[in-house]
Amino acid sequence: MGLELKCRLCHTYSEEEDIFCRGCGIRLLTSRRYDLTKADYAFEGDLEKLALLKELATPAVLLKTFYLKKAISLHEKEVSSRSILVDRNTRLGSLLIKCADKLCLKYLPKMYVDYELGFNAFSFGLDEKPYIVVGEALLNTLTEQEIVALVGHELGHIGCGHMLYHTLAEFLLQGVTFSASALGVPLIEAPLRLALLSWRRESEVSADRASLLVTESVEVVRSLLQKVVSLNNRASLIYDALSEL
């Protein structure tokens, strides 16, 4: 038994070796001067466009919006209905904690394995309550080191503070609309939509850099990206062929 630590937020007791609170997921140990920070992997283009997004719609306004939080809550329920929550005591859970610790994240995200997502993965939520979703089909095709690269990529988004805008971008790409009929307020206007989708491409560079840091291998990250592209292209061709039958 290690030293027990009491969480300052939810007051749950966890062992020092847990690193992250078993209740709310906040990091229990203070960061050290030699720990990684987002400055070690955040891409300059990402930071510049993120600053532009903050001018178009300040995080304070969006974070306090009841409708956005409601949408995220509904999205988590939808995901959890077709997924299994990763237990931190499993091998996958252990890899998640190891990667999150290496990147010195403030919060450990909940991670779901989605049976219907196919060869994809994404993250969503808010900075203090992030989620990672990985397709079961994708997990089954990856080596353990490629899984580390995948987890590191999604954690990179969280570590860079992408969650608010990354979630909005994911919702847009998945067809989740923020309209008066859906959520009560038109949160995403045309200029913000364009800025979101443009920034999203830049944010992927930061996430790939985080992936490189946790794996310490260019070859592993390259292999992961090649597999994801190849598997999705193959799945798309099969879908198109079946649609023509």
Side-chain angles (χ1 to χ4, degrees), residues 53-65 164-165:
L53 282 173
K54 291 178 179 179
E55 291 180 9
L56 291 172
T58 64
V61 172
L62 292 174
L63 280 171
K64 299 298 182 183
T65 302
L164 173 61
Y165 298 110

Side-chain angles (χ1 to χ4, degrees), residues 175-245:
V176 180
T177 59
F178 291 78
S179 63
S181 60
L183 295 174
V185 287
L187 281 179
I188 303 183
E189 302 295 344
L192 181 54
R193 286 173 179 264
L194 294 175
L196 272 170
L197 297 180
S198 176
W199 160 77
R200 187 177 182 275
R201 290 191 293 271
E202 306 286 354
S203 75
E204 294 300 323
V205 179
S206 296
D208 285 339
R209 287 179 170 183
S211 185
L212 284 167
L213 286 173
V214 297
T215 60
E216 300 180 9
S217 171
V218 174
E219 291 305 317
V220 169
V221 175
R222 180 184 292 120
S223 175
L224 167 68
L225 295 176
Q226 288 175 338
K227 278 189 179 180
V228 171
V229 172
S230 175
L231 290 167
N232 278 289
N233 285 341
R234 190 182 307 167
S236 179
L237 289 173
I238 293 173
Y239 176 81
D240 291 341
L242 292 174
S243 298
E244 294 176 0
L245 294 178

Side-chain angles (χ1 to χ4, degrees), residues 2-8 10 12-32 35 88-89 93-109 155:
L3 176 67
E4 280 198 327
L5 301 176
K6 184 179 180 181
C7 177
R8 63 184 183 276
C10 69
T12 298
Y13 282 94
S14 303
E15 292 187 20
E16 184 180 12
E17 291 78 7
D18 290 331
I19 303 174
F20 297 93
C21 174
R22 286 184 170 270
C24 65
I26 193 172
R27 186 180 180 88
L28 296 170
L29 305 178
T30 57
S31 59
R32 298 143 296 193
D35 283 332
R88 61 192 296 161
N89 294 318
S94 176
L95 292 177
L96 174 66
I97 292 172
K98 183 178 179 180
C99 291
D101 181 36
K102 191 166 188 176
L103 293 175
C104 204
L105 261 62
K106 293 181 180 178
Y107 290 90
L108 182 71
L155 291 176

Side-chain angles (χ1 to χ4, degrees), residues 166-184:
H166 194 67
T167 297
L168 292 175
E170 287 291 344
F171 282 178
L172 282 177
L173 291 171
Q174 293 182 32
V176 180
T177 59
F178 291 78
S179 63
S181 60
L183 295 174

